Amino acid sequence: MCRPDHNRQTIGFIVTLVSRTGIALLAAASILALATTAKAQDSFGRLPANAVLVTPEGDILDYLPGGDVQMMRDRRGRTVLVDSWGNIVATVMGSGRQRNEIRRREMSRDTYANQGFGFSEQEYPEQGFSEPGDVTASIPDYRDATPPSVERQALPNEYPASLDENDMEALPQEERQTLPPAAQITKKSSAEITALQVFLDREGFSPGVIDGKSGSNVTKAIEAWQQATGETLDPNNTDDIMERLRFSGGLPITTYTITAADAAGPYVAAIPEDYAHKAALPHLSFTSTVEMLGEKFHMDEAYLRELNPGVDFTIPGTIIKVINPGEMKKGKVTRIVADKYRKQVFAYDEAGTLIAAYPATIGSSDTPSPSGTVQVDRIAFDPGYTYNPKINFKQGENDKVLTLQPGPNGPVGTVWIALSKPTYGIHGTPEPSKIGKTQSHGCVRLTNWDATELAKMVSVGTTVEFLD
């Protein structure tokens, strides 16, 4: 148990992904480049009567953009509105059937190339990545002043073995939630699975770490998405997945330039297992730029290396391929359901609508999570950790109170959502790849980015219901 104490646009870039089966797939496309011979139109008066203005994010504008905006033609001959910096403000499309037909023709022309999906010459702007924010202001950066530590029971150094994924099927139907079943994922390439994972991540139905592999976390995310939307998602229809991505932030893979700050850290050489050794560290920081970038872009570290073979991630200015997870989910969550058997956390708004779901590690047989209903009591970002052997179980040979500094590799990661039942909370983790696949020591673990997203949507008093 736990006890709380408290674009620039890159032009003409093409990314080639190589799946584990050796099939080379185009997994990114050139960013929109305006033809140098394009001639600006002199006014908005030439817009068709049935024109619809669609932003690069897929939103439909109900007004004409002001300022120094001109109409131009892109290399496909489409009319686009461009600001004085050369950024695409909107694409001019026909309304109703005409717009749908344009989308269909563009997707059919661009979707498949060779034996995988290719997206040559498509136009997707490079997306920015929001820095995490506090519930009321901004989350303290771990380079800033250290916040007060929290006192809680120590977490085990070893993860207990997880339940078999098929165990849930043996449970009586009335003891678990019934969600629309996901279609079985057939043999798909790593790039296609990545696209599916990124779509779910952007929708707020997290697949956990994005690694280009199908698994139980992906299946659960699809089922939760279907429950929320009333739609059926075919995970084998890459055409449809890419069309959806097109209007939710663009391609699943983008580029990122490693900065001097990225390379500088601070980093620690390694995170020891013994709590006394942990307490000696000035901060439980990331251990490498790879670990830091993996968390920043919701990626598995091994997959980040796979996408960038031979790259030295410590050199500023290095351009790498990363996941494009899009913006953080927003909304007001008034009810949380922690489903122990599904190993999943569901977030509902005040209307009772499911708006997000996350894979979770919830309790264990020896230290189960609570049952029934509790409330959110406090929310803390970048918390410290105090080990007290008088109230904690004994960790190693430690018999004295130890104060562990904050950091993403701390026992509760970068977020602590305290619950009204003492010693329990929803929190992050130093090992995101294990979320949903292991058991915890009584609390509810999410990846650090999922915990941050959820923490920004909840408030004190939010109901948390545990389903047995």
Side-chain angles (χ1 to χ4, degrees):
M1 292 184 292
C2 311
R3 177 173 176 131
D5 176 32
H6 293 235
N7 267 318
R8 267 322 179 176
Q9 298 169 337
T10 304
I11 296 180
F13 175 74
I14 301 218
V15 179
T16 302
L17 288 183
V18 181
S19 70
R20 292 185 300 277
T21 60
I23 299 175
L25 302 175
L26 290 175
S30 60
I31 305 301
L32 180 62
L34 298 177
T36 57
T37 58
K39 198 169 184 180
Q41 304 296 317
D42 47 2
S43 73
F44 287 119
R46 298 187 185 183
L47 286 176
N50 64 343
V52 175
L53 302 181
V54 182
T55 69
E57 292 78 26
D59 297 325
I60 297 177
L61 298 181
D62 57 0
Y63 61 91
L64 290 178
D68 188 12
V69 176
Q70 295 180 320
M71 286 199 301
M72 302 185 75
R73 295 282 185 183
D74 65 13
R75 288 184 297 187
R76 289 186 180 166
R78 297 183 305 183
T79 301
V80 292
L81 305 186
V82 183
D83 65 19
S84 58
W85 293 95
N87 297 315
I88 303 302
V89 176
T91 300
V92 180
M93 306 179 75
S95 61
R97 286 187 200 170
Q98 184 179 351
R99 187 181 64 171
N100 292 334
E101 178 64 13
I102 290 172
R103 291 172 58 191
R104 186 194 65 75
R105 282 184 294 177
E106 287 176 350
M107 204 60 201
S108 63
R109 180 176 65 237
D110 295 328
T111 300
Y112 280 92
N114 300 324
Q115 298 181 21
F117 59 86
F119 306 94
S120 176
E121 299 301 317
Q122 285 191 20
E123 296 81 15
Y124 295 113
E126 186 171 345
Q127 299 297 306
F129 296 88
S130 302
E131 292 298 323
D134 201 311
V135 171
T136 56
S138 61
I139 297 176
D141 190 284
Y142 64 75
R143 298 180 181 88
D144 298 334
T146 301
S149 62
V150 297
E151 186 173 295
R152 61 190 104 234
Q153 284 196 315
L155 301 176
N157 289 316
E158 298 294 332
Y159 286 78
S162 66
L163 294 172
D164 187 272
E165 293 178 1
N166 294 322
D167 285 353
M168 197 176 78
E169 296 302 322
L171 295 172
Q173 187 71 20
E174 63 272 12
E175 293 185 20
R176 54 186 170 89
Q177 294 191 95
T178 301
L179 274 65
Q184 182 177 358
I185 300 175
T186 58
K187 187 175 182 181
K188 308 296 287 184
S189 70
S190 176
E192 290 171 307
I193 296 299
T194 296
L196 174 61
Q197 290 177 312
V198 172
F199 167 71
L200 292 166
D201 184 272
R202 289 181 189 173
E203 292 284 294
F205 296 87
S206 173
V209 293
I210 296 174
D211 56 6
K213 301 175 182 178
S214 61
S216 60
N217 284 348
V218 174
T219 299
K220 290 185 294 187
I222 293 172
E223 292 174 345
W225 182 89
Q226 292 181 155
Q227 175 76 4
T229 64
E231 297 183 51
T232 298
L233 184 68
D234 183 357
N236 303 302
N237 187 345
T238 304
D239 247 5
D240 179 58
I241 299 300
M242 294 309 302
E243 174 76 346
R244 293 174 186 273
L245 285 173
R246 177 181 175 85
F247 289 91
S248 68
L251 289 169
I253 301 289
T254 188
T255 57
Y256 178 77
T257 302
I258 296 175
T259 68
D262 293 335
Y267 299 108
V268 295
I271 301 296
E273 292 187 3
D274 191 279
Y275 275 29
H277 297 161
K278 278 186 170 75
L281 295 175
H283 194 279
L284 294 173
S285 310
F286 291 117
T287 59
S288 66
T289 52
V290 174
E291 184 182 22
M292 181 276 291
L293 291 168
E295 291 236 351
K296 181 181 181 71
F297 297 107
H298 305 183
M299 300 179 69
D300 178 70
E301 292 179 49
Y303 191 43
L304 177 59
R305 293 185 184 277
E306 181 183 329
L307 289 181
N308 299 276
V311 168
D312 187 341
F313 293 89
T314 66
I315 302 176
T318 301
I319 299 175
I320 59 174
K321 305 166 192 173
V322 296
I323 291 301
N324 179 8
E327 296 183 357
M328 189 174 292
K329 182 83 172 185
K330 294 179 175 63
K332 180 175 177 58
V333 172
T334 61
R335 175 172 170 254
I336 295 172
V337 173
D339 191 316
K340 300 178 185 179
Y341 290 115
R342 285 188 62 88
K343 298 180 184 177
Q344 198 170 18
V345 166
F346 299 86
Y348 298 84
D349 65 13
E350 58 187 355
T353 302
L354 177 62
I355 62 174
Y358 310 99
T361 295
I362 308 175
S364 63
S365 57
D366 58 331
T367 54
S369 56
S371 297
T373 301
V374 294
Q375 291 79 39
V376 170
D377 198 35
R378 293 182 301 279
I379 302 167
F381 294 94
D382 208 23
Y385 182 100
T386 298
Y387 166 74
N388 187 339
K390 292 183 179 180
I391 60 175
N392 302 141
F393 62 82
K394 188 172 173 55
Q395 195 277 325
E397 299 301 319
N398 296 307
D399 56 4
K400 297 179 180 179
V401 174
L402 298 171
T403 299
L404 280 63
Q405 297 302 313
N409 273 313
V412 294
T414 58
V415 178
W416 172 261
I417 303 174
L419 302 181
S420 56
K421 184 176 177 62
T423 78
Y424 291 96
I426 301 172
H427 59 82
T429 180
E431 298 184 275
S433 63
K434 293 184 177 181
I435 290 299
K437 302 174 183 178
T438 59
Q439 296 176 334
S440 73
H441 203 59
C443 293
V444 180
R445 296 189 189 194
L446 310 176
T447 66
N448 283 334
W449 56 87
D450 286 343
T452 297
E453 181 174 282
L454 179 61
K456 290 187 66 176
M457 295 193 291
V458 303
S459 57
V460 173
T462 296
T463 299
V464 181
E465 178 184 350
F466 285 85
L467 292 186
D468 295 318

